[in-house]
Amino acid sequence: MRIIMLGAPGAGKGTQAKMIASEYQIPHISTGDIFRSNIKNGTELGKKAKEYMDQGLLVPDSLTCDLVVDRIAQDDAKNGYVLDGFPRTIPQAEALTEALKARGEAIDYAIDIEVPDENIVTRMSGRRACLGCGATYHIKYNPPKAENVCDACGKELVLRDDDKPETVQKRLDVYHEQTQPLISYYTEAGVLKELDGTQDIDVIFGQIKELLK
Ligand code: ADP
Ligand code: AMP
C-alpha cells in the first residue's frame, strides 16, 4: 500500500500518518522529520534546508526529490509506505510518478485532509514536537500525559520555530500556491480521497481505515 498524505501544514498529516504506519506496519516517511534530523545532526543538507524552513519556504526540489526516491527504494518500503509532506510541488509529484513507473508501481491512495486556514494557526501554535523521536502533540486536542514531556521517549517537547504565527501565515501562502495544485494532479490520477480534517483525530482515522479496506 503506497499512500501519500496531502493537506495544509497543521492539517493533521503527521498525526494520521503515524497511526496508519503503526496499523498497517509500513514505514512513515516524513520529509520534514528527515530535514529536522539533518539539522539536529549538523549535516550539510540540514544547514541548507534550515535556511528555507525558518522562512516558511519550501526546500528546493533539487534537495528533496532524490532523497525520497532513494528512501522508498529501501528494503523496508518494499510492501508500501506512507509519505507525509512529500510531494509538495508538481515537479516533486512528477518525479515520484516517474520513479515509481520505472519499477511498475504507482501511488494507491492520496489522502487529502481538509482544514480551513482559520483553524490552522490554532493547530500550529498548540503543536508541541519531540525532537527526540518526532512524536507530535497538541496542548489542547492531543495533550501529552505530563506537560511538555514526550509520552513515547520522555524527552522535552518544544514549539517548532516554524510553528510561530508569523511563519505559519507564510507556510499557508506557500501551501496554496505550490502544494494545493496536487489535489487536481491526484484527482486526475484517480487516487484522491478527501476527508474533513476538523473532526476528532480518532474519527478521521476510522474513516481512513474504511477507505483503505
Ligand atoms: P501536519 O503533519 O499536517 O503538519 P500534525 O499532524 O502535526 O499536522 O497536526 C498539527 C497539530 O494539530 C498537532 O498539534 C496535532 O496534535 C493537532 N491535530 C492533528 N489532528 C487533529 C484533529 N483532528 N483535531 C485537532 N487537533 C489535531
Ligand atoms: P513539515 O514537517 O512537513 O511541516 O515540514 C516542515 C518544513 O520542511 C516545510 O515547511 C518545508 O520548509 C520543509 N519541507 C518538508 N517537506 C518538504 C518537501 N517535500 N519539499 C520542500 N520542502 C519540504
Side-chain angles (χ1 to χ4, degrees):
M1 205 153 37
R2 298 178 194 91
I3 303 171
I4 63 178
M5 305 301 293
L6 295 177
K13 301 180 296 294
T15 301
Q16 298 296 334
K18 288 186 186 82
M19 294 165 86
I20 294 171
S22 149
E23 177 85 12
Y24 298 96
Q25 297 292 300
I26 50 177
H28 165 214
I29 302 174
S30 153
T31 38
D33 284 352
I34 295 172
F35 290 137
R36 280 185 288 277
S37 136
N38 274 275
I39 292 173
K40 199 170 131 194
N41 295 327
T43 69
E44 273 312 305
L45 172 65
K47 280 180 204 149
K48 287 186 192 147
K50 189 171 169 17
E51 286 174 30
Y52 298 92
M53 290 167 76
D54 282 353
Q55 297 178 66
L57 300 173
L58 294 183
V59 177
D61 293 343
S62 57
L63 295 176
T64 310
C65 292
D66 291 350
L67 182 110
V68 176
V69 169
D70 289 349
R71 176 64 188 88
I72 60 178
Q74 285 174 22
D75 237 26
D76 66 334
K78 263 199 318 251
N79 296 325
Y81 39 79
V82 51
L83 281 179
D84 162 16
F86 183 95
R88 256 181 160 106
T89 63
I90 291 282
Q92 289 182 10
E94 288 171 345
L96 178 63
T97 302
E98 286 308 309
L100 290 173
K101 209 161 149 193
R103 296 203 297 260
E105 297 170 358
I107 290 297
D108 300 305
Y109 301 94
I111 302 177
D112 173 35
I113 306 184
E114 285 285 328
V115 175
D117 286 8
E118 306 84 88
N119 303 23
I120 294 290
V121 179
T122 326
R123 288 268 183 105
M124 310 281 256
S125 57
R127 170 157 66 184
R128 294 293 178 273
C130 175
L131 293 179
C133 71
T136 44
Y137 302 85
H138 191 282
I139 50 175
K140 184 165 160 209
Y141 306 123
N142 182 24
K145 292 193 182 87
E147 199 176 330
N148 268 334
V149 178
C150 178
D151 292 350
C153 75
K155 295 228 167 78
E156 193 193 358
L157 301 177
V158 298
L159 173 67
R160 274 166 46 179
D161 282 342
D162 60 349
D163 280 351
K164 296 184 175 142
E166 55 276 21
T167 316
V168 170
Q169 191 51 54
K170 181 70 200 162
R171 294 173 69 195
L172 273 173
D173 295 344
V174 167
Y175 167 75
H176 289 301
E177 209 176 289
Q178 300 195 57
T179 309
Q180 218 167 17
L182 296 182
I183 294 178
S184 305
Y185 182 92
Y186 285 104
T187 302
E188 278 162 32
V191 293
L192 190 85
K193 307 283 175 193
E194 280 186 308
L195 293 175
D196 173 3
T198 63
Q199 307 170 97
D200 282 353
I201 293 173
D202 290 334
V203 172
I204 300 171
F205 187 54
Q207 293 172 347
I208 290 178
K209 283 196 287 189
E210 271 305 304
L211 70 85
L212 296 181
K213 259 186 190 163

